[in-house]
Amino acid sequence: MICLGIESTAHTFGIGIATNKGKILANALDSFKTKCGGLIPNELAKHHEKVKNEVLQNALQQANVTLKDIGVVAFSQGPGIAPSLLVGLKFAKKIASKVKVPIVGVNHCIAHLEIGKLLTKAKEPVLLYASGANTQIIAYENKKYRIFGETLDQGIGNFIDSFARYIGLGFPGGPKIEKLALNGKKYIELPYVVKGMDVSFSGILTNLKNKYDSKKYAIEDLCFSLQETVFAMLVEVSERAMAHTEKKELLLGGGVACNKRLREMCSIMCNERNAKFFAPENKYLMDNGVNIAWLGILMKKNAVKNYSSIDINPYERTDDVDVAW
Ligand code: AMP
Ligand code: MG
């Protein structure tokens, strides 16, 4: 059985195709980019509308299949930006009705976790999900993926992108900040904000902007200090979740997990506590349709043919979903 998965929670419109055996047949996508400004909801929807047909053709070509070969269509139901999500939902309905197959809505955060398990063979990991809009420490306990810690304000990627935008680097800022940080020599003290198991970034962002405006600091040092501070916060809460749940595996997900320094810090922590560290290839850390297609396969039982009963769920939380697979 083949599943076609549609991702459209935020900046990326992606279509992935995967089999029920976990074979990935296609990963096609087109991401919104901008030199100034951020992710403006209606602009994202316009972008997705524009590229959706081309992305679909590209995916079918990569997989060497036609729509008739698809057994189920999955789409990102949430969490995400509503106008963006709606493009994915409508396209899912259009494709599914053409070939008369059922549709299943899936949770974007859980899709990151399940693709990581499939590709790295991690069995019972704690997931550090560090993406643009989301920052969560997730682990399975009693039929749900529970959130052990999370951001109290913005996601870590949005925080990094906001600072990058402030200093004129454009979107996405993460890779550019990482490059500048490599030339940072001096650690500049920043607020370190861990509250219980949660983290918060907005105060750090204000502090960084003020330091940048004062012109007293080298930009490379600010980027270096930003990374050292906020990554240490993530590693601290991830380690505490691992200690509490007695899990021996850490898995990374989300675009910020492409960052080499974050991966290095996670791997050091895992070594020190005799745990295993896993991260899938970068293309599966970033938002993409394959994650959605694979979770669609796992959740096939939830697929329905009554399309009018399906909707987006922009505020869906990881622990809203019953894990019945
Ligand atoms: P996602 O929302 O999971 O697709 O991830 C997108 C986010 O990942 C954006 O905020 C990017 O700035 C961020 N990102 C991508 N590559 C890196 C990197 N090398 N270091 C830090 N952040 C990154
Ligand atoms: Mg994501």
Side-chain angles (χ1 to χ4, degrees):
M1 208 263 301
I2 288 179
C3 178
L4 179 145
I6 302 177
E7 160 59 32
S8 76
T9 52
H11 43 72
T12 296
F13 189 86
I15 295 193
I17 302 178
T19 73
N20 58 338
K21 301 268 187 265
K23 191 161 177 230
I24 295 167
L25 303 180
N27 181 16
L29 53 82
D30 192 312
S31 294
F32 176 84
K33 289 192 178 63
T34 166
K35 283 216 162 67
C36 55
L39 300 181
I40 300 161
N42 288 336
E43 297 287 315
L44 292 177
K46 270 194 227 154
H47 167 267
H48 297 350
E49 284 289 354
K50 202 171 117 204
V51 302
K52 65 183 189 196
N53 285 312
E54 200 181 321
V55 174
L56 173 64
Q57 289 318 317
N58 190 349
L60 294 172
Q61 220 166 49
Q62 280 181 33
N64 199 16
V65 299
T66 67
L67 283 183
K68 286 200 191 98
D69 300 311
I70 305 298
V72 60
V73 173
F75 76 102
S76 265
Q77 195 160 32
I81 300 169
S84 224
L85 287 168
L86 279 172
V87 180
L89 170 68
K90 278 197 228 145
F91 205 43
K93 287 185 181 179
K94 194 173 156 199
I95 294 171
S97 64
K98 233 185 207 170
V99 281
K100 301 190 175 58
V101 298
I103 299 183
V104 58
V106 309
N107 178 283
H108 175 92
C109 310
I110 296 178
H112 275 283
L113 193 146
E114 289 294 354
I115 198 73
K117 281 174 70 179
L118 172 74
L119 296 175
T120 67
K121 309 276 184 276
K123 288 193 180 65
E124 263 211 55
V126 166
L127 174 76
L128 167 54
Y129 176 36
S131 79
N134 300 292
T135 302
Q136 296 181 342
I137 319 293
I138 303 167
Y140 180 83
E141 287 260 338
N142 193 19
K143 301 198 174 75
K144 295 234 177 179
Y145 283 120
R146 314 238 171 221
I147 301 169
F148 285 84
E150 64 189 311
T151 177
L152 296 171
D153 38 50
Q154 71 233 75
I156 183 163
N158 286 359
F159 153 77
I160 295 175
D161 293 335
S162 297
F163 183 61
R165 195 159 70 239
Y166 194 73
I167 63 176
L169 297 179
F171 173 84
K176 290 172 188 153
I177 297 275
E178 177 175 28
K179 217 165 153 197
L180 285 165
L182 286 175
N183 292 320
K185 293 185 185 69
K186 205 168 96 195
Y187 180 75
I188 300 159
E189 193 150 336
L190 295 171
Y192 181 96
V193 193
V194 173
K195 301 183 183 186
M197 285 293 288
D198 295 327
V199 292
S200 153
F201 300 109
S202 57
I204 308 177
L205 179 61
T206 307
N207 191 289
L208 275 164
K209 285 178 175 174
N210 289 341
K211 286 199 162 81
Y212 175 76
D213 288 341
S214 78
K215 300 196 168 66
K216 283 192 208 145
Y217 306 93
I219 186 66
E220 292 82 0
D221 289 341
L222 286 176
C223 293
F224 168 73
S225 308
L226 173 158
Q227 289 200 163
E228 294 303 301
T229 305
V230 296
F231 293 166
M233 288 160 43
L234 295 186
V235 173
E236 178 189 327
V237 285
S238 301
E239 178 166 25
R240 211 165 319 120
M242 291 168 80
H244 173 74
T245 57
E246 298 184 351
K247 295 196 193 290
K248 288 275 173 200
E249 298 173 332
L250 179 69
L251 174 66
L252 287 186
V256 181
C258 297
N259 187 288
K260 294 204 178 72
R261 179 58 180 148
L262 175 61
R263 295 161 85 109
E264 181 184 38
M265 288 165 81
C266 289
S267 127
I268 293 169
M269 180 270 280
C270 286
N271 274 339
E272 285 177 353
R273 54 181 303 111
N274 265 331
K276 286 191 185 143
F277 169 65
F278 298 96
E281 273 178 84
N282 283 1
K283 60 182 173 193
Y284 301 114
L285 288 170
M286 306 291 291
D287 287 352
N288 69 82
V290 177
N291 295 7
I292 307 309
W294 177 236
L295 186 51
I297 295 269
L298 296 175
M299 293 183 68
K300 165 103 198 334
K301 269 202 314 232
N302 297 29
V304 295
K305 274 201 162 166
N306 175 12
Y307 305 148
S308 61
S309 67
I310 308 171
D311 207 349
I312 58 168
N313 193 353
Y315 296 101
E316 184 175 72
R317 280 177 63 78
T318 309
D319 49 9
D320 285 340
V321 180
D322 290 322
V323 179
W325 52 90

